[in-house]
């Protein structure tokens, strides 16, 4: 993941999809090792459960490529609770994250087995040092909040299902108080100039009087 350019004048202006992309990047590295371990623990032969064929970052789980299953979809929801402000004016927040694995099978039992295996693997992978591959986001914690298993399409309930695993991701430096006037006291004439081209302070005139 490429770190977004951050100006010391403006600070970081994080968007939720930054976190979703970071979660996806982490899962792309660690999901298959955990999926392989699920197979070992369940006494299954290697690669019994198919590896992910498609990856999505989305705002809803109804949109996925049904022609490429298993499909992994990551979504970030609204911030949980009030952001926390520290003594330096920096805000941290908790972002709900949901990971859906849409799977297929030849029988209802096989479909459920695949969904449960993916649920366990996603849970393990997300709790394994989430954020270590996205240091630019500074993610400091990932908490498991639960999971569920559901039919994807009532017209095809025997062959497709999904595991939904829910997490809370703790992110520092989501926003900050602007102490002083790092951008000056009036908006720039050309806001599209690079931040380094903006004046540090406005020109002022100081008049002193002798008593």
């Amino acid at each position: 993941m490429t770190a977004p350019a951050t100006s010391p004048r403006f600070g970081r202006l994080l968007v939720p999809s930054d976190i979703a992309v970071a979660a996806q990047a982490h899962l792309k590295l660690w999901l298959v090792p955990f999926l392989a371990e699920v197979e070992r623990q369940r006494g299954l032969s290697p690669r019994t459960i198919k590896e992910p064929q498609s990856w999505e970052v989305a705002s809803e789980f109804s949109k996925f490529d049904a022609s490429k299953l298993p499909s992994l979809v990551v979504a970030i929801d609204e911030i949980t609770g009030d952001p926390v402000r520290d003594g330096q004016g920096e805000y941290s927040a908790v972002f709900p994250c949901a990971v859906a694995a849409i799977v297929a099978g030849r029988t209802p039992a096989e479909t459920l087995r695949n969904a449960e295996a993916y649920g366990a693997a996603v849970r393990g992978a997300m709790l394994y040092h989430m954020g270590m591959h996205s240091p630019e986001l500074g993610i400091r914690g990932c908490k498991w909040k639960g999971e569920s298993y559901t039919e994807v399409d009532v017209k095809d309930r025997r062959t497709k299902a999904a595991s939904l695993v829910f997490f809370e991701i703790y992110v520092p430096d989501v926003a900050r108080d602007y102490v002083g006037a790092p951008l000056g006291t009036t908006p720039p004439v050309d806001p599209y100039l690079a931040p380094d081209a903006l004046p540090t302070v406005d020109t002022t005139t100081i008049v002193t009087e002798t008593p």
Side-chain angles (χ1 to χ4, degrees), residues 6 24 34 51 58 72 74 77-78 127 141 165 178-179 183 197 203 207:
T6 301
Q24 184 192 74
F34 276 89
E51 294 183 13
L72 265 289
V74 180
D77 205 348
E78 298 176 357
L127 294 175
V165 191
Y178 289 98
V179 179
L183 302 174
T203 301
V207 177

Side-chain angles (χ1 to χ4, degrees), residues 93-165:
V94 175
F95 289 83
C97 174
V99 181
I102 299 91
V103 302
R106 293 167 296 182
T107 66
E110 183 178 283
T111 302
L112 177 60
R113 180 204 67 186
N114 294 345
E116 289 182 338
Y118 263 90
V122 166
R123 183 198 319 132
M126 285 289 288
L127 294 175
Y128 186 72
H129 298 298
M130 168 58 193
M132 68 178 177
H133 300 292
S134 303
E136 65 279 356
L137 292 183
I139 292 172
R140 292 182 185 171
C142 179
K143 182 179 180 181
W144 177 43
K145 294 294 292 183
E147 59 194 69
S148 65
Y149 298 86
T150 183
E151 298 166 345
V152 173
D153 189 339
V154 295
K155 296 178 183 178
D156 199 12
R157 65 180 62 189
R158 291 183 178 275
T159 58
K160 294 185 181 67
S163 64
L164 288 165
V165 191

